[in-house]
Amino acid sequence: MTSVTLTVRGTPAPKGSRTLGKRRDGSTFTRPASNAEHRWVEAVALEAMAARTRAGAIEPPYAVVLDFAMRRPARPAHDWPTRADLDKLIRAVLDGLTRGGLIEDDRHVVRVDAAKWWAGEPGGEGVVVTVSRASTIRPAGLPVDGNDPPPGWSADDERDRIRDVEHERSSEGYGADSPDPYEAGMERYR
């Protein structure tokens, strides 16, 4: 299987912030700053287990697309969600995917595309997750092993490689709103 999409309903919770506590004997410990972190990671893990049962595990490396739907407060300060850092929301989902066995380990995730939006309706909070096997083609504009570009590499070669990546991105669900990788990659030759 090369791609799996799953939906996890519930309030997305961040992972990462810790609070220092002190035991009666004077020793210290840390606990998650968010009380909802454990429940959210477990909810993701349960959906990941179900998806793995249906479709099987995906071989690394992984590309992950996350669309978070956040609860809209009665009077939001902004037109976009600002509660919970996106990077910490990502971390919680990746831990749940690992715990649920859909991915081997989150260290094999080489690409993440994530966004957070207001949920369309009350109770519509959650995340839609798509996990696929990532391409091993390097992104446009990045050096290969510190060399820029490799010996014998021409602008035509780069254009062809970028067009291949663009084709792969369109088959992974990226649409017309995605940046043009050809233009981004060719900037280095101008």
Side-chain angles (χ1 to χ4, degrees), residues 10-27:
T11 302
K15 181 179 174 97
S17 297
R18 309 286 293 178
T19 299
L20 184 65
K22 203 172 228 182
R23 295 186 182 98
R24 290 181 188 178
D25 66 1
S27 62

Side-chain angles (χ1 to χ4, degrees), residues 134-140 161-162 164-165 168:
S135 167
T136 55
I137 297 173
R138 68 182 178 88
R161 187 195 63 75
I162 292 168
D164 289 344
V165 170
E168 180 179 302

Side-chain angles (χ1 to χ4, degrees), residues 25-76:
D25 66 1
S27 62
T28 59
F29 66 93
T30 62
R31 64 174 172 75
S34 168
N35 294 331
E37 174 187 318
H38 180 73
R39 285 189 308 270
W40 177 246
V41 171
E42 288 304 312
V44 173
L46 286 172
E47 290 296 330
M49 280 188 259
R52 182 177 183 192
T53 302
R54 287 189 309 271
I58 299 171
E59 293 295 316
Y62 307 110
V64 181
V65 179
L66 304 164
D67 280 308
F68 292 94
M70 309 298 286
R71 183 182 65 79
R72 184 183 191 104
R75 288 191 302 251

Side-chain angles (χ1 to χ4, degrees), residues 94-157:
L94 294 180
D95 284 353
L97 295 174
T98 302
R99 192 171 291 174
L102 186 61
I103 64 174
E104 188 177 306
D105 193 293
D106 58 3
R107 67 188 169 109
H108 296 293
V109 175
V110 297
R111 182 176 181 180
V112 176
D113 181 9
K116 60 182 180 176
W117 313 98
W118 294 126
E121 57 191 48
E125 298 86 8
V127 66
V128 176
V129 181
T130 301
V131 180
S132 58
R133 190 163 197 292
S135 167
T136 55
I137 297 173
R138 68 182 178 88
L142 292 181
V144 178
D145 298 328
N147 299 320
D148 187 34
W153 193 258
S154 70
D156 289 337
D157 294 331

Side-chain angles (χ1 to χ4, degrees), residues 70-89:
M70 309 298 286
R71 183 182 65 79
R72 184 183 191 104
R75 288 191 302 251
H78 302 281
D79 292 334
W80 56 90
T82 56
R83 189 167 198 156
D85 292 350
L86 188 58
D87 63 324
K88 292 178 181 179
L89 292 170

